[in-house]
Amino acid sequence: MDTNDKEDSQKKSEDVGQRRSPFDLFFNPRKKSTKGKNELFSMNRFFKAFERETEKAPKEKEPQDSQDKTSTHDNPDVDVNTPGKEETQLPGLDISGWWKVKQFMQRFGKKAESNCINLNNCGLTAMDMEELGTLLAFIPDTEEIDLSWNDLIGGSIRLLTPYLQQVGKLKIFSLSNCSLTPNDVNALGEALEHIPLLESLDLSWNSDLGGNLSRLTQHISTQCELKALYLTECNVRAADAHALNKMPNLEVLDLSMNKDIGSIIRTLIDELKTKSSLSVLKLHGTGLQQETIQSLSDVFHNWPYLRKLDLSCNKEAGGGFKEAAARLTTFKHLELLDIHQCCLSGDDVDALTQVVPLLSNLQVLNISSNKMVGHSPEHLFSRLRFLPKLKCIIVSSCSLKKESFSALAEASRYLVDLEILDLSWNKCIGGNLKLLLDTLKTATKLQSLMLSSCDLVTQDLAVLASAAQAGYLDSLQHLDLAYNDTIADEGWALFFESLYAINNITELDVSLRPGSTRDCGAWVIHLLSSMLKLPKLKELGMQRWVLSAAEQQQLERINKESMIHIYFE
């Protein structure tokens, strides 16, 4: 990716803003994103939703707006002011106490539930924490508490923890980005003695946790059920790695964005090699290098049940996969492999070419932002046909050549379960999209197709229009055609005339590149007409297209009447 493309990619993220990523939209359609930590956070949502979809794993929550769930204020069937009929549906609960719980949740636009407390991103304060604690006795069946993204409660966890013994059935506890202090960690650790059924604990984005994890784990009993621990960007240190020995049943471990992991990898390996039940390991952006990748691969055989491995965004890891790749075959159940932006070398790619076809259960492969993938021979892509369960291929910004794209297009014809295909930022796609037509015919489950900044031309959009009219895109929900300024008005007209046929589409992006503007052509009439025939369309990106006053009024009317979020300047 050249300098201009890098700038455009950053601008693309800004254009998207709080819009959900295609991966998130597919894997977790009901969630909304929030500001901050966008790149890693969308990948985390991708992983978490994928875990929920493919295994009986601990359920997680992500940052979301307070309007994410239906509030009682908007629910005419729930009266929050007086006890009513709903209490008769909750046997065993104190009616007056339940009413207090409903009132408390209503203050934050949330609906009270007997087994879940969702106060994610609600601006909670220390006083709220204490009040919440006093209410726990009225909801003893609570299995999940999500207090994430409330950074004002740091230092006040001790006001809540004494009451956690009232919810002994608690299984999932989320406190990510809460500005937790060492004293909070200590108080939480003491409370763990009273919640023995806890399975999932999310403490991500609490930087003061680094060096203090032992304060938490020293209270864990030998009967601890804790299976999932999330410590993204927590300044994890060597002492914290030692603390993991108190979690014998650990299945999911996320240490992403802890920059010192690379330097303490041997200490971490010593603790993890005994975790035979480990099924998910995420080491995204942890400073892993060529040597540490090799050291890590030495213990792959200790994790026979591993299903998801994320080693992405370790830019000094290049060359480490030459030997490590062969050891991936020990993961007989591997479903997800993410090694994007790892500066893979030619030898790495060659080694992966031999190994990837042997990962017969692989469903998600992300090798994006590795230039050598495109520079090497096309054999890696041609062998993807031997992965019958593959659902998601992400090869954006891989400097693909026509030959490698042709091999990928040929192999993808055999992937009948394909649901996500990301080819963005590969210029060779322009003028050659016809090679993908057979894939569009056979991949009847394809839901997301990303072709951003691919130098598409009129004939490429003619291919999409033909596929839409033939019914090949009936399952398509998300289509990204942004930053393809090379498409002439004629091409946009062909596409928008057929847009109505993609009747399940929910998100479409046709924005122009940063720094460029262009008047909408006659095709805008076809766009407006098609939008009225697409009841599921929710988001339309049109950044930097210049609209006339009349066109803008029409879009605003559609936005209001059809509840379609239209992004334009």
Side-chain angles (χ1 to χ4, degrees), residues 416-461:
V416 295
D417 289 330
L418 191 64
E419 298 177 0
I420 291 181
L421 181 59
D422 187 351
L423 300 170
S424 297
W425 307 94
N426 288 295
K427 307 302 183 183
C428 74
I429 310 296
N432 293 302
L433 195 62
K434 59 182 179 295
L435 298 174
L436 205 62
L437 186 57
D438 285 341
T439 297
L440 298 180
K441 291 179 182 178
T442 58
T444 57
K445 299 178 183 179
L446 188 66
Q447 296 185 23
S448 297
L449 179 61
M450 277 69 77
L451 298 168
S452 175
S453 193
C454 284
D455 281 357
L456 300 184
V457 294
T458 295
Q459 66 189 67
D460 297 319
L461 263 64

Side-chain angles (χ1 to χ4, degrees), residues 308-343:
K308 300 171 184 63
L309 179 62
D310 178 8
L311 302 175
S312 63
C313 293
N314 288 292
K315 297 181 180 180
E316 297 182 25
F321 293 91
K322 179 181 178 180
E323 297 181 12
R327 295 166 184 160
L328 290 172
T329 57
T330 61
F331 300 140
K332 304 300 182 183
H333 307 284
L334 193 66
E335 298 173 354
L336 186 151
L337 177 62
D338 187 352
I339 49 176
H340 82 270
Q341 203 169 342
C342 282
C343 294

